[in-house]
Amino acid sequence: MTFLFKSPCAPLPHPLVPLCLRVFVSRLLFFLIVVFACCVFSHDGPEHVIEELTLQLEQKKSADLYHKRAIEYRQLSEYKKAITDLREALKINPRHFEARLELAQVLITVRKTDEALKVLRIALAAEQSAAKRLAIFGALALAYDAAGDVAAAIHYCASALELAPDDLDLLLLRSELFWRAGAYQRRAEDLESAFRRTGSAILRADWIDAMLDAGHFSAVKSDIEKEIAESRLKSAWLIRRARCSAAESNSAASHGDISAALLELDSRIRPHQPDTSLLLQRAHARALSADKARAQADLKAAARAGAAPHGLARISSIIKNMKR
Amino acid sequence: MTSTVRLCCGLLALLVFGSHARDAETPRAKTPEPLEATLERGPYLQCATPQSIVIVWRTTGKSTPLVRYGQTTAQLDQTASLKNVRVRVAPHINSEATKLHSAPDWTYQYEATLTALTFSSTYYYAVYDGDTLLAGGETYHFTTHPAPSISKPVRMWVVGDSGMGDKNQASVTTAMQAWIDREKRPLDMFLHVGDMAYNSGRDSEFTKGFFKPYEATLRNVVCWPSMGNHEGSTSRGNLGSGPYYDCYVCPTQAQAGGVPSGTEAYYSFDYGRIHFICLDSHDLKRRPDGAMARWLSTDLEKTNAAWLIAFFHHPPYTKGSHDSDREKRETEMRTYIMPILEAGGVDLVLTGHSHIYERSMLLDGAYATPTVAHNVILDDGDGDPAGDGAYRKSAGLNPNEGDIQVVAGHGGAKLNRKGTMPVMKRVVVEHGSCLIDIDGNTLTAIMVDKKGDRRDTFSLIKEGKVTPKRVANPKQLPPYKAPKDDKKDKKKEATLDDEIDSKPNDKIPALEGSAK
């Protein structure tokens, strides 16, 4: 196959064939080689695909090829190379939407949020289709969130949710943003309508948390009791009930639930390589039992193990607000 | 390769003649609506529960959909109520019905939910256009799931990366069929771990790579799907739209067990005492704060099953055509999702993507990158009852007692191998598929290659109380040396298969440096 790649774009050197036909046939040949190569290599790992795309790029620069190679670099977490390729793609075709969006996403990943926002604003001004605007709004919400501008993140989250009202990740992102903005009541209302519409169990659990954060303990206590009765793993629900009991000044019940939750969590948390969500749960339980030092130790371990910033921020705030 | 040549020829014709050939996925019909409806796809089964099932079929041209069913072929004395038939239509059809993402002209898709069925019972069915029979007879039957607390033997077929519509895919299916015919033990379910419609998961590719090759199986057995990266080219998990989502009816509201996910992208279901979890490893957030991971934790909190099986496309451990130590999706599934699954007591993880068969030892906590085997293996034997003996765990679902990883990406697409993943016990570079039986406290799995030979067997017994012990230096497979060129490649693959991979199981020799 190698010979086919030597000069696919140069017109075929036959004097009797008109130039336009020769150019057409040459381009056709190149197109077929690309298609053929894509078919052959599309089932291989990123390194093979990169190798193949590099070979094609040596023959002809194309925004599509740079974009495809950037996706593969991103798969390999080679973000610098991905950014370089995406910028090349946009030099060739500034209207290449997928490349622009991909560039913004990579820039958010490497925490260059200002640059990401610049890239996304250009995209937003240029694109009218709902599908593309949805993707841009979602990326803008993430970029503003990463930049610490909660109000702007909420605004773009809302814009995205207007186009995709049942996108669960967006709904959860908005819930976190409302929490960070201190809009507890709004968060609870938003989640309630979302879980009633979608039936999603995770939105329901988040709604119950939102109700507790907003101080509506009695309104959700029966839901929590039901979950405790029906669940195999109860720690998350025991912690929620402990919060209700604490709010009712029933410290014995609260301590009992916390102890039971800690017992279950200790049996599930592996000392090395733990599940970060369980570590955060245990940090929460320890914070509720006023064990600040161990709560902080769990929080640090969760951060080391790669827990998400939102989860860390929530528990950190609970620990900070502890009475002693 | 033949399909590639055909594709190139098609493109050549398209370009040279400047034709605007009919695009099956454009929203304008190029042909007039047919006067009579003809069956185009199915019928096939979806979303089975102890008391219900969904029968899906497509016609070209509008029909009056009717399903008759009953417990003998001679007595189809029940009909699905029209209100239980969901209709979806091709995008160009002017109708109030929900639109399919893409479909050939004048496509009508009918999804009939049969309710109030008896659990563990076999029913025969036929689909009609009014009074006209479209499909039915002796081979059209299904069996409902057992009641949630009932332990019933089950046989499942696991296939990945199959959607080529070529002879390899066909041979894999034929070999599986011959195996189950010989044993007179039919399938109860079909799990597809993704890449069922090469190259881009288009509607026409689903027809060629999935519905046609598996037509006979799909009329009796539900295929529970997980989305692969190739389907992900045209379908979107966050929106639940695209040809993949057109083809399947997956539980979103815990119809079949588990907790409601609110999306078809990931879901769970029960079969008696077995809980199945399907995840979308391709295009949704895999981190612990993502909706999918949080749903997974919630789902695991609830299940009281005796067995837990998870399936998704991207393997946490592989060195086949992909390397899980290098690629982001695989690494994230290992780093973020596996801890949740293992803390929830998972027994078996089924994946694809990497075009190879790889099967692990009993492992737990192997989240490091690069993957190492030290202190993460709980049993370094081969798990074969006729070899080192079955793997063992305590009865019920218990955290961190170990699981077995199976990469079944060898269903039809071009095979490849990059190396040897340290946690693996078997590596076979040959097309094939897996048959998994669960009977009471014992799970037994075999890999049958496309020639019909059994190439691997392992078993897991869950009883009593087993205290897991970590093996500091587990016995591992010898390192893999990549062949230097294509010709040697084939020879080398065969040699490696002979040396370290299993032969037909009853002849397995003691594996050098790999057995206990």
Side-chain angles (χ1 to χ4, degrees), chain B residues 117-182:
Chain B
L117 304 174
T118 308
F119 59 84
S120 294
S121 299
T122 298
Y123 290 83
Y124 291 84
Y125 68 96
V127 297
Y128 289 82
D129 170 10
D131 292 332
T132 310
L133 177 69
L134 294 174
E138 289 280 330
T139 61
Y140 291 82
H141 54 81
F142 63 83
T143 303
T144 49
H145 282 197
S149 54
I150 303 293
S151 176
K152 187 190 170 202
V154 61
R155 167 164 279 189
M156 59 200 97
W157 184 36
V158 181
V159 180
D161 304 76
S162 61
M164 304 291 287
D166 66 359
K167 63 179 182 184
N168 285 326
Q169 182 184 11
S171 306
V172 168
T173 310
T174 307
M176 176 280 296
Q177 193 60 49
W179 190 278
I180 63 172
D181 289 348
R182 202 161 52 238

Coordinates of all heavy atoms in Angstrom, one line a residue, chain B residues 117-182:
Chain B
L117 N -48.1 -11.2 31.9 CA -47.6 -12.6 31.5 C -47.3 -13.3 32.8 O -47.1 -12.7 33.9 CB -46.4 -12.5 30.6 CG -46.5 -11.7 29.4 CD1 -45.2 -11.5 28.6 CD2 -47.5 -12.3 28.4
T118 N -47.2 -14.6 32.7 CA -46.8 -15.4 33.9 C -45.2 -15.6 33.8 O -44.7 -15.9 32.8 CB -47.4 -16.8 33.8 OG1 -48.8 -16.6 33.6 CG2 -47.2 -17.6 35.1
F119 N -44.6 -15.5 35.0 CA -43.2 -15.6 35.0 C -42.7 -17.0 34.7 O -43.4 -18.0 34.8 CB -42.6 -15.2 36.4 CG -43.1 -15.9 37.6 CD1 -42.5 -17.1 37.9 CD2 -44.1 -15.4 38.3 CE1 -42.9 -17.8 39.0 CE2 -44.5 -16.1 39.4 CZ -44.0 -17.3 39.8
S120 N -41.5 -17.1 34.1 CA -40.8 -18.4 33.7 C -41.7 -19.2 32.8 O -41.7 -20.4 32.9 CB -40.5 -19.2 34.9 OG -39.5 -18.6 35.7
S121 N -42.5 -18.5 31.9 CA -43.4 -19.2 31.1 C -43.0 -19.0 29.6 O -42.6 -17.9 29.2 CB -44.8 -18.8 31.3 OG -45.2 -19.1 32.6
T122 N -43.2 -20.0 28.8 CA -42.9 -19.8 27.3 C -44.2 -19.5 26.6 O -45.3 -20.0 26.8 CB -42.3 -21.1 26.8 OG1 -41.1 -21.4 27.5 CG2 -42.1 -21.0 25.3
Y123 N -44.1 -18.5 25.7 CA -45.2 -18.0 24.9 C -44.8 -18.1 23.5 O -43.6 -17.8 23.1 CB -45.6 -16.6 25.3 CG -46.2 -16.4 26.6 CD1 -45.4 -16.3 27.8 CD2 -47.6 -16.3 26.8 CE1 -46.0 -16.1 29.0 CE2 -48.2 -16.1 28.0 CZ -47.3 -16.0 29.2 OH -47.9 -15.9 30.4
Y124 N -45.8 -18.3 22.6 CA -45.6 -18.2 21.2 C -46.2 -16.9 20.7 O -47.2 -16.5 21.3 CB -46.1 -19.4 20.4 CG -45.4 -20.7 20.7 CD1 -45.6 -21.4 21.9 CD2 -44.3 -21.1 19.9 CE1 -44.9 -22.6 22.2 CE2 -43.6 -22.2 20.1 CZ -43.8 -23.0 21.3 OH -43.1 -24.1 21.6
Y125 N -45.7 -16.4 19.6 CA -46.3 -15.1 19.2 C -46.3 -15.0 17.7 O -45.5 -15.7 17.0 CB -45.6 -13.9 19.8 CG -44.2 -13.7 19.4 CD1 -43.9 -12.8 18.4 CD2 -43.1 -14.4 20.0 CE1 -42.5 -12.6 18.0 CE2 -41.8 -14.2 19.6 CZ -41.5 -13.3 18.5 OH -40.2 -13.1 18.1
A126 N -47.1 -14.1 17.2 CA -47.1 -13.8 15.7 C -47.4 -12.3 15.6 O -48.2 -11.8 16.4 CB -48.1 -14.7 15.0
V127 N -46.9 -11.7 14.6 CA -47.2 -10.3 14.3 C -48.0 -10.2 13.0 O -47.7 -10.9 12.0 CB -46.0 -9.3 14.3 CG1 -45.3 -9.3 15.6 CG2 -45.0 -9.7 13.2
Y128 N -48.9 -9.3 13.0 CA -49.9 -9.1 11.9 C -50.0 -7.7 11.4 O -49.7 -6.8 12.2 CB -51.3 -9.6 12.3 CG -51.4 -11.0 12.5 CD1 -51.0 -11.6 13.7 CD2 -52.0 -11.9 11.6 CE1 -51.2 -13.0 14.0 CE2 -52.2 -13.2 11.8 CZ -51.8 -13.8 13.0 OH -51.9 -15.1 13.2
D129 N -50.4 -7.5 10.2 CA -50.9 -6.2 9.7 C -52.4 -6.5 9.6 O -52.8 -7.0 8.6 CB -50.2 -5.9 8.4 CG -50.9 -4.7 7.7 OD1 -51.7 -4.0 8.4 OD2 -50.6 -4.5 6.5
G130 N -53.1 -6.0 10.6 CA -54.6 -6.4 10.6 C -54.8 -7.9 10.6 O -54.4 -8.5 11.6
D131 N -55.3 -8.4 9.5 CA -55.5 -9.9 9.5 C -54.4 -10.6 8.8 O -54.4 -11.8 8.7 CB -56.9 -10.2 8.8 CG -58.0 -9.7 9.6 OD1 -57.9 -9.6 10.8 OD2 -59.1 -9.4 9.0
T132 N -53.5 -9.9 8.2 CA -52.4 -10.5 7.4 C -51.2 -10.8 8.3 O -50.7 -10.0 8.9 CB -52.0 -9.5 6.3 OG1 -53.1 -9.0 5.6 CG2 -51.0 -10.2 5.3
L133 N -50.9 -12.1 8.2 CA -49.7 -12.6 9.0 C -48.4 -12.0 8.4 O -48.2 -12.2 7.2 CB -49.7 -14.1 9.1 CG -48.5 -14.7 9.8 CD1 -48.6 -14.5 11.3 CD2 -48.4 -16.2 9.5
L134 N -47.6 -11.4 9.3 CA -46.3 -10.9 8.8 C -45.2 -11.9 9.2 O -44.3 -12.1 8.5 CB -46.0 -9.5 9.4 CG -46.9 -8.4 8.9 CD1 -46.6 -7.1 9.6 CD2 -46.7 -8.1 7.4
A135 N -45.3 -12.4 10.5 CA -44.3 -13.3 10.9 C -44.9 -14.1 12.1 O -45.6 -13.6 12.9 CB -43.0 -12.6 11.4
G136 N -44.6 -15.4 12.1 CA -45.1 -16.2 13.2 C -44.8 -17.7 12.9 O -44.4 -18.0 11.8
G137 N -45.1 -18.6 13.9 CA -44.9 -20.0 13.7 C -44.1 -20.6 14.8 O -43.9 -19.9 15.8
E138 N -43.7 -21.8 14.6 CA -43.0 -22.6 15.7 C -41.8 -21.9 16.3 O -41.5 -22.1 17.4 CB -42.5 -23.9 15.1 CG -43.6 -24.9 14.7 CD -44.1 -25.6 16.0 OE1 -43.3 -25.8 16.9 OE2 -45.3 -26.0 16.0
T139 N -41.1 -21.1 15.4 CA -39.8 -20.6 15.9 C -39.9 -19.2 16.6 O -39.0 -18.6 17.0 CB -38.8 -20.4 14.7 OG1 -39.3 -19.5 13.8 CG2 -38.5 -21.8 14.1
Y140 N -41.2 -18.7 16.6 CA -41.4 -17.4 17.3 C -41.9 -17.6 18.7 O -43.1 -17.8 18.9 CB -42.3 -16.6 16.4 CG -41.7 -16.1 15.1 CD1 -41.7 -17.0 14.0 CD2 -41.1 -14.9 15.0 CE1 -41.2 -16.6 12.8 CE2 -40.6 -14.5 13.8 CZ -40.6 -15.3 12.7 OH -40.0 -15.0 11.5
H141 N -41.0 -17.6 19.6 CA -41.4 -17.8 21.0 C -40.5 -17.1 22.0 O -39.4 -16.8 21.6 CB -41.5 -19.3 21.3 CG -40.3 -20.1 21.1 ND1 -39.2 -20.1 21.9 CD2 -39.9 -20.8 20.0 CE1 -38.2 -20.8 21.4 NE2 -38.6 -21.3 20.2
F142 N -40.9 -16.9 23.2 CA -40.0 -16.3 24.2 C -40.4 -16.9 25.5 O -41.5 -17.5 25.7 CB -40.2 -14.8 24.2 CG -41.6 -14.3 24.6 CD1 -42.0 -14.2 25.9 CD2 -42.5 -13.9 23.6 CE1 -43.2 -13.7 26.2 CE2 -43.8 -13.5 23.9 CZ -44.1 -13.4 25.2
T143 N -39.5 -16.7 26.5 CA -39.8 -17.2 27.9 C -39.6 -16.0 28.8 O -38.6 -15.3 28.7 CB -38.8 -18.3 28.2 OG1 -39.0 -19.4 27.3 CG2 -39.1 -18.9 29.6
T144 N -40.6 -15.8 29.6 CA -40.5 -14.6 30.6 C -39.4 -14.9 31.6 O -39.1 -16.1 31.9 CB -41.8 -14.4 31.3 OG1 -42.3 -15.6 31.8 CG2 -42.8 -13.8 30.3
H145 N -38.9 -13.9 32.2 CA -37.9 -14.0 33.3 C -38.6 -14.7 34.5 O -39.8 -14.5 34.8 CB -37.4 -12.6 33.7 CG -36.4 -12.1 32.8 ND1 -35.6 -11.0 33.1 CD2 -36.1 -12.4 31.5 CE1 -34.8 -10.7 32.0 NE2 -35.1 -11.6 31.1
P146 N -37.7 -15.3 35.4 CA -38.3 -15.8 36.6 C -38.6 -14.7 37.6 O -38.2 -13.6 37.4 CB -37.1 -16.7 37.1 CG -35.9 -16.2 36.5 CD -36.3 -15.6 35.2
A147 N -39.4 -15.1 38.6 CA -39.7 -14.1 39.6 C -38.4 -13.6 40.3 O -37.5 -14.4 40.4 CB -40.7 -14.7 40.6
P148 N -38.4 -12.4 40.8 CA -37.1 -11.8 41.3 C -36.4 -12.7 42.3 O -35.2 -12.7 42.4 CB -37.6 -10.5 41.9 CG -38.8 -10.1 41.2 CD -39.5 -11.4 40.9
S149 N -37.1 -13.3 43.2 CA -36.4 -14.1 44.3 C -36.1 -15.5 43.9 O -35.5 -16.2 44.7 CB -37.3 -14.0 45.6 OG -38.5 -14.5 45.2
I150 N -36.5 -15.9 42.7 CA -36.4 -17.3 42.3 C -35.0 -17.6 41.6 O -34.7 -16.8 40.7 CB -37.5 -17.8 41.4 CG1 -38.9 -17.5 42.0 CG2 -37.4 -19.2 40.9 CD1 -39.2 -18.4 43.2
S151 N -34.3 -18.6 42.1 CA -33.1 -18.9 41.4 C -33.4 -20.0 40.3 O -33.9 -21.0 40.6 CB -32.1 -19.5 42.5 OG -31.0 -20.0 41.9
K152 N -33.1 -19.6 39.1 CA -33.4 -20.4 38.0 C -32.1 -20.5 37.1 O -31.5 -19.5 36.9 CB -34.5 -19.8 37.2 CG -35.1 -20.7 36.1 CD -36.0 -20.0 35.2 CE -36.3 -20.9 34.0 NZ -36.8 -20.1 32.9
P153 N -31.7 -21.7 36.6 CA -30.6 -21.8 35.8 C -30.7 -20.9 34.5 O -31.8 -20.8 34.0 CB -30.5 -23.2 35.3 CG -31.3 -24.0 36.4 CD -32.4 -23.0 36.8
V154 N -29.6 -20.2 34.2 CA -29.7 -19.3 33.0 C -28.5 -19.5 32.2 O -27.4 -19.8 32.7 CB -29.8 -17.8 33.5 CG1 -28.6 -17.4 34.3 CG2 -30.0 -16.9 32.3
R155 N -28.7 -19.4 30.9 CA -27.6 -19.4 29.9 C -27.6 -18.1 29.1 O -28.6 -17.8 28.5 CB -27.7 -20.6 29.0 CG -26.7 -20.5 27.8 CD -26.5 -21.8 27.1 NE -25.6 -22.7 27.8 CZ -25.1 -23.8 27.3 NH1 -25.5 -24.2 26.1 NH2 -24.2 -24.5 28.0
M156 N -26.4 -17.5 29.1 CA -26.3 -16.2 28.3 C -25.2 -16.3 27.3 O -24.2 -17.0 27.5 CB -26.2 -15.0 29.2 CG -25.0 -15.0 30.1 SD -25.1 -13.9 31.5 CE -25.6 -15.0 32.8
W157 N -25.5 -15.6 26.2 CA -24.5 -15.6 25.1 C -23.9 -14.2 25.2 O -24.6 -13.2 25.2 CB -25.1 -15.8 23.8 CG -24.2 -15.9 22.6 CD1 -23.0 -16.4 22.6 CD2 -24.5 -15.5 21.3 NE1 -22.4 -16.3 21.3 CE2 -23.4 -15.8 20.5 CE3 -25.6 -14.9 20.7 CZ2 -23.3 -15.5 19.1 CZ3 -25.6 -14.6 19.3 CH2 -24.4 -14.9 18.6
V158 N -22.6 -14.1 25.2 CA -21.9 -12.8 25.2 C -21.0 -12.6 24.0 O -20.2 -13.4 23.7 CB -21.0 -12.7 26.5 CG1 -20.3 -11.3 26.6 CG2 -21.8 -13.0 27.7
V159 N -21.3 -11.5 23.3 CA -20.6 -11.2 22.0 C -20.2 -9.7 22.0 O -20.9 -8.9 22.5 CB -21.6 -11.4 20.8 CG1 -20.9 -11.1 19.5 CG2 -22.1 -12.8 20.8
G160 N -19.1 -9.4 21.5 CA -18.6 -8.1 21.3 C -18.0 -7.8 20.0 O -17.4 -8.7 19.4
D161 N -18.1 -6.6 19.5 CA -17.3 -6.2 18.3 C -17.6 -7.1 17.1 O -16.6 -7.5 16.4 CB -15.8 -6.1 18.6 CG -15.6 -5.1 19.8 OD1 -15.9 -5.6 20.9 OD2 -15.2 -4.0 19.6
S162 N -18.8 -7.3 16.9 CA -19.2 -8.3 15.9 C -19.7 -7.8 14.6 O -19.8 -8.4 13.6 CB -20.3 -9.2 16.5 OG -21.4 -8.5 16.8
G163 N -20.2 -6.5 14.6 CA -21.0 -6.0 13.6 C -20.5 -5.7 12.2 O -20.6 -4.7 11.6
M164 N -19.8 -6.7 11.7 CA -19.2 -6.6 10.4 C -20.1 -7.1 9.3 O -20.0 -6.7 8.1 CB -17.9 -7.4 10.3 CG -16.8 -7.0 11.3 SD -16.1 -5.4 11.1 CE -15.1 -5.7 9.6
G165 N -21.0 -8.0 9.7 CA -21.8 -8.6 8.6 C -21.0 -9.5 7.7 O -21.4 -9.7 6.5
D166 N -20.0 -10.1 8.2 CA -19.1 -10.9 7.3 C -19.1 -12.3 7.8 O -19.8 -12.8 8.7 CB -17.7 -10.3 7.3 CG -17.0 -10.4 8.6 OD1 -17.6 -10.9 9.6 OD2 -15.8 -10.0 8.7
K167 N -18.2 -13.1 7.1 CA -18.2 -14.5 7.4 C -17.6 -14.9 8.8 O -18.0 -15.9 9.4 CB -17.4 -15.3 6.3 CG -15.9 -15.0 6.2 CD -15.3 -15.8 5.2 CE -13.8 -15.5 5.2 NZ -13.1 -16.1 4.1
N168 N -16.7 -14.1 9.3 CA -16.2 -14.3 10.7 C -17.4 -14.2 11.7 O -17.5 -15.1 12.6 CB -15.1 -13.3 11.1 CG -13.8 -13.6 10.4 OD1 -13.5 -14.8 10.2 ND2 -13.1 -12.6 10.1
Q169 N -18.2 -13.2 11.6 CA -19.3 -13.0 12.5 C -20.3 -14.2 12.3 O -20.8 -14.7 13.3 CB -20.0 -11.7 12.1 CG -21.2 -11.4 13.0 CD -22.0 -10.2 12.6 OE1 -21.8 -9.6 11.5 NE2 -22.9 -9.7 13.5
A170 N -20.5 -14.6 11.1 CA -21.4 -15.7 10.8 C -20.9 -17.0 11.4 O -21.6 -17.8 12.1 CB -21.6 -15.9 9.3
S171 N -19.6 -17.2 11.3 CA -19.0 -18.5 11.8 C -19.1 -18.5 13.4 O -19.3 -19.6 13.9 CB -17.5 -18.5 11.5 OG -17.3 -18.4 10.1
V172 N -18.9 -17.4 14.0 CA -19.0 -17.3 15.5 C -20.4 -17.7 15.9 O -20.6 -18.5 16.8 CB -18.6 -15.9 16.0 CG1 -19.0 -15.7 17.4 CG2 -17.2 -15.6 15.7
T173 N -21.4 -17.2 15.2 CA -22.8 -17.5 15.5 C -23.1 -19.0 15.3 O -23.7 -19.6 16.1 CB -23.7 -16.6 14.7 OG1 -23.3 -15.2 14.8 CG2 -25.2 -16.7 15.1
T174 N -22.6 -19.5 14.1 CA -22.9 -20.9 13.8 C -22.2 -21.8 14.8 O -22.8 -22.8 15.3 CB -22.3 -21.2 12.4 OG1 -22.8 -20.2 11.5 CG2 -22.6 -22.6 11.9
A175 N -21.0 -21.4 15.2 CA -20.3 -22.3 16.2 C -21.1 -22.3 17.6 O -21.2 -23.3 18.2 CB -18.9 -21.7 16.4
M176 N -21.5 -21.1 18.0 CA -22.3 -21.0 19.2 C -23.6 -21.9 19.1 O -23.9 -22.7 20.0 CB -22.7 -19.6 19.5 CG -23.5 -19.3 20.7 SD -25.3 -19.6 20.5 CE -25.7 -18.4 19.3
Q177 N -24.3 -21.7 18.0 CA -25.5 -22.4 17.8 C -25.3 -23.9 17.8 O -26.1 -24.7 18.4 CB -26.2 -22.0 16.4 CG -27.6 -22.4 16.3 CD -28.5 -21.8 17.4 OE1 -28.5 -20.6 17.6 NE2 -29.3 -22.7 18.0
A178 N -24.2 -24.4 17.1 CA -23.9 -25.8 17.1 C -23.6 -26.3 18.5 O -24.1 -27.4 18.9 CB -22.7 -26.1 16.2
W179 N -23.0 -25.5 19.3 CA -22.6 -25.9 20.7 C -23.9 -26.1 21.5 O -24.0 -27.1 22.2 CB -21.7 -24.8 21.3 CG -21.1 -25.3 22.6 CD1 -21.8 -25.2 23.8 CD2 -19.9 -25.9 22.8 NE1 -21.0 -25.7 24.8 CE2 -19.8 -26.2 24.2 CE3 -18.8 -26.2 22.0 CZ2 -18.7 -26.8 24.8 CZ3 -17.7 -26.8 22.6 CH2 -17.6 -27.1 23.9
I180 N -24.8 -25.1 21.4 CA -26.0 -25.2 22.3 C -26.9 -26.3 21.8 O -27.6 -26.9 22.6 CB -26.7 -23.8 22.5 CG1 -27.2 -23.3 21.2 CG2 -25.8 -22.8 23.1 CD1 -28.1 -22.0 21.4
D181 N -26.9 -26.5 20.5 CA -27.7 -27.6 19.9 C -27.2 -28.9 20.4 O -28.0 -29.8 20.8 CB -27.7 -27.6 18.4 CG -28.5 -26.4 17.8 OD1 -29.2 -25.7 18.6 OD2 -28.4 -26.1 16.6
R182 N -25.9 -29.1 20.4 CA -25.3 -30.3 20.9 C -25.6 -30.6 22.3 O -25.9 -31.7 22.7 CB -23.8 -30.2 20.7 CG -23.1 -31.6 20.6 CD -21.7 -31.5 19.9 NE -20.8 -30.5 20.5 CZ -20.3 -29.5 19.8 NH1 -20.5 -29.4 18.6 NH2 -19.5 -28.7 20.5

